[in-house]
Every structure is written in structure tokens, then in C-alpha cells.
Amino acid sequence: MPEVLIADDSEFMRNLLREILEEDHQIVGEVENGVEAVEAYKDKDPDLVMMDIVMPIRDGIEATDEIKTESPDANVIMCTSVGQEEKMKEAVKAGADGYITKPFQKPSVMEAIEDVVPS
């Protein structure tokens, strides 16, 4: 089972992602800001990070940049809200491998993951 780290400042979104993913993935951590995301990535070395863009202390773009700089093979899928196209472009520059748009449904989440981490 692929190991997944969930980074989102919204407990509701973390719970939603966990419910969507836990059947086929092992959730190895849940964090609520970019600083925790980088630390948890180093600690857990997951197969995939589901990273929210807008988070306190350090956003998902900065966290993705740091993770990808240290671990170029890391797989990061950004979770973005409708209307965040500019931030999405920044995230791609930072090394994001894919993205899903909130509010997300299971099929679109699974498709994005399959594109990045083929089963």
C-alpha cells in the first residue's frame, strides 16, 4: 500500500482525504502547516504527499519547494481551491507533480494519484 502524508490546515479536509484514501493507501501522517509537512516528510518518507496550497506559517508551495529540493523523487499532489490558478502555477514551478481541486470527489483524487504514483 502506498504511504501518504496529508498536509492541510482544515481538519475537515484532512478527514475527507483520509476517508477517500484509507481504503487503498496507508496514511502515515496528518499535519496542518508547511513546516510540519517538511518535518513529517523527512521523518516518514512517504510515497506521496497531498499538500494544501494555503496553510499558516508556511504555505504548501514553499513546503513543496523545500521537499523537492531535498528529495527530487518526492511525489506531491497539490490541493487547491477554485480560482487559485496563479498559485497553482507557482506550485508547478516549485515541483508539484499534480493537483486536485476542492471540493474533491473520490474519482478525481484517485485519478490524480494514479497519474503520479501508478499502482
Side-chain angles (χ1 to χ4, degrees):
M1 273 185 148
E3 296 183 342
V4 182
L5 170 66
I6 298 173
D8 198 309
D9 58 320
S10 159
E11 186 179 357
F12 174 79
M13 283 300 170
R14 290 196 308 273
N15 290 341
L16 182 64
L17 270 175
R18 185 182 339 105
E19 283 174 22
I20 290 172
L21 297 173
E22 63 190 354
E23 193 176 314
D24 303 307
H25 302 79
Q26 185 178 348
I27 309 301
V28 293
E30 293 182 30
V31 296
E32 51 191 57
N33 65 59
V35 172
E36 292 176 357
V38 172
E39 287 171 4
Y41 184 86
K42 289 176 186 170
D43 184 41
K44 309 277 188 197
D45 191 29
D47 299 306
L48 177 66
V49 183
M50 301 299 288
M51 181 87 72
D52 186 23
I53 290 185
V54 180
M55 293 188 289
I57 306 175
R58 179 169 225 188
D59 69 22
I61 295 169
E62 292 173 357
T64 298
D65 186 44
E66 183 169 339
I67 288 170
K68 285 291 209 170
T69 299
E70 292 185 21
S71 307
D73 294 339
N75 295 303
V76 182
I77 293 179
M78 305 306 288
C79 305
T80 173
S81 300
V82 173
Q84 291 186 329
E85 286 76 15
E86 280 308 308
K87 286 199 182 293
M88 208 45 247
K89 287 178 192 164
E90 287 176 49
V92 169
K93 278 189 198 147
D97 298 286
Y99 70 94
I100 51 175
T101 306
K102 298 175 189 176
F104 24 76
Q105 304 296 321
K106 184 166 184 170
S108 58
V109 173
M110 301 314 275
E111 190 177 312
I113 292 173
E114 187 65 31
D115 286 347
V116 174
V117 189
S119 51

